[in-house]
Amino acid sequence: MSSDHESALMSPAVRPSWNDLPQGLREALTQRLGTVHEVVMQSGGFTPGLAARVVAETGRAFVKAVPADHVLAPKYRAEAAVAELMPVTTSAPRLRWSGDLAGWAVLVFEDVEGRHPDLAPGSADVAVAVAGVAALAETLTPSPANVALSSEARGGFLHGWGELLQSGADGLGPWERDRLGLLAELERVWVPHSAGLSLVHGDIRPDNLLIRSRQSHNDEVLLVVDWAQPSIGATWQDVVDLIPHMIMAGHAPVEAEDAVSHLRAWQELPDIVITSYCVAYAGYWARMSMQPPPPGVPHLRAYQAGAAKAALAWARARID
Ligand SMILES: Nc1ncnc2c1ncn2[C@@H]1O[C@H](COP(=O)(O)OP(=O)(O)OP(=O)(O)O)[C@@H](O)[C@H]1O
Ligand SMILES: [Mg+2]
């Protein structure tokens, strides 16, 4: 792993600190939350918006904010709309307030004292993450929110080999270059199989998962944050999304599949759909990693290159 990639994983997003925020926003947040005593900026994710755990006069809260005219502001508003409709039984932080403050789109959530799961081989967090993500479907079927279908929302971007085939495939390794036509065909097969009635998170990664210890129960629960890419579809998508992240964390592809193989959602999936889905992820990440970095998000492309490598290892394990 290159040092660039390591730093990408440690601190992917370049986010503003509390003191960087415009005074108007700080004052408006203080009006809403009371005097802010403590602010801990969060570094997970890639969005260059504010993400902070705060201790204020009215209690603890997690605050997300982005300028209201930022290209990502609609995602923040979409997240707020979904969070408002989330059943209280879903294992996700409760939304306390959302709206515009001093020209920023702001979301205020219940604060979660937790940690990101370690998805490395042998980690006990793997089972907690798998069970927690699989359990989402219990409270999110049928979907409480009327959002786009997975086939449109996710099928619209989760591919890449077709584009790489057209653009000349510079920068690809020999394995994928020799099979570009096949990969471009395969990456579309999963799309109709994404149909279903559940609310799908669509962005399951360790930094969007928090494990909270419950001393009263002597156990740990998984909370799923960052519902900014919701869609309506089949529940297997969120569960299977853990696999490339387990591979990035050191699992062999077959071991990562073993970790979800007890789930009905996995057992009911035709082999070709799984193969297509991992090929789609590999193509998407490979295509994206070759784009110029978006302004303010310098580490994203290195992360995507690492993710493409993991998804490609998974695809090769299934195809070869
Ligand atoms: N309710 C919460 N309580 C405490 N910490 C949280 C909470 N929600 C999120 N976090 C932490 O803040 C980080 C960023 O939050 P989130 O993923 O919602 O923001 P984002 O700006 O949309 O990030 P991304 O770049 O992933 O889109 C998470 O990785 C997590 O560590
Ligand atoms: Mg996130």
Side-chain angles (χ1 to χ4, degrees):
M1 193 187 281
S2 73
S3 59
D4 186 26
H5 189 200
E6 275 173 349
S7 67
L9 293 179
M10 284 186 288
S11 178
V14 177
R15 298 180 187 271
S17 72
W18 183 253
N19 290 328
D20 293 338
L21 297 178
Q23 196 183 350
L25 177 61
R26 279 184 281 152
E27 280 172 10
L29 283 171
T30 305
Q31 264 180 17
R32 187 141 283 284
L33 304 172
T35 308
V36 174
H37 301 299
E38 204 183 307
V39 179
V40 181
M41 296 294 164
Q42 300 302 292
S43 61
F46 296 97
T47 308
L50 166 73
R53 298 181 63 195
V54 303
V55 183
E57 217 174 321
T58 52
R60 293 175 176 274
F62 174 73
V63 180
K64 280 176 85 157
V66 76
D69 58 359
H70 192 278
V71 56
L72 290 170
K75 290 220 165 216
Y76 280 60
R77 299 190 206 286
E79 180 179 358
V82 166
E84 259 168 33
L85 298 170
M86 198 74 83
V88 287
T89 44
T90 301
S91 204
R94 304 266 69 80
L95 181 69
R96 283 177 29 189
W97 184 86
S98 75
D100 280 21
L101 288 179
W104 285 59
V106 179
L107 285 75
V108 180
F109 284 97
E110 161 203 3
D111 179 55
V112 177
E113 173 77 58
R115 61 188 169 79
H116 298 304
D118 170 7
L119 297 183
S123 161
D125 291 358
V126 170
V128 178
V130 169
V133 172
L136 289 174
E138 290 165 16
T139 59
L140 296 177
T141 313
S143 171
N146 186 14
V147 291
L149 300 180
S150 299
S151 55
E152 289 158 20
R154 312 193 73 230
F157 72 86
L158 203 50
H159 50 76
W161 301 114
E163 289 87 343
L164 292 168
L165 183 63
Q166 291 204 330
S167 68
D170 282 351
L172 295 180
W175 187 90
E176 51 278 30
R177 217 175 31 236
D178 289 350
R179 292 165 181 77
L180 254 186
L182 170 72
L183 297 174
E185 254 175 59
L186 266 177
E187 70 177 350
R188 299 294 184 163
V189 173
W190 68 274
V191 176
H193 295 266
S194 69
L197 298 177
S198 304
L199 181 65
V200 173
H201 180 277
D203 196 13
I204 294 291
R205 313 186 303 228
D207 56 78
N208 286 336
L209 304 174
L210 289 170
I211 294 183
R212 174 160 69 185
S213 298
R214 284 194 306 186
Q215 254 138 33
S216 51
H217 292 66
N218 198 21
D219 67 358
E220 293 185 312
V221 284
L222 186 86
L223 285 102
V224 183
V225 308
D226 201 358
W227 293 77
Q229 318 239 40
S231 63
I232 295 176
T235 56
W236 62 261
Q237 298 173 91
D238 283 340
V239 171
V240 177
D241 280 2
L242 284 166
I243 292 177
H245 297 283
M246 287 190 235
I247 298 172
M248 275 184 259
H251 278 82
V254 64
E255 293 167 354
E257 290 188 351
D258 280 351
V260 301
S261 62
H262 59 288
L263 298 172
R264 182 123 67 91
W266 173 266
Q267 289 164 1
E268 287 174 356
L269 264 186
D271 272 350
I272 183 74
V273 177
I274 303 170
T275 304
S276 164
Y277 195 63
C278 70
V279 165
Y281 256 118
Y284 163 69
W285 276 322
R287 169 169 70 85
M288 295 309 291
S289 70
M290 294 174 195
Q291 302 288 315
V297 195
H299 302 301
L300 180 60
R301 300 307 180 214
Y303 168 81
Q304 287 167 334
K309 206 170 143 201
L312 204 54
W314 183 22
R316 290 183 67 156
R318 293 190 62 85
I319 291 172
D320 280 349

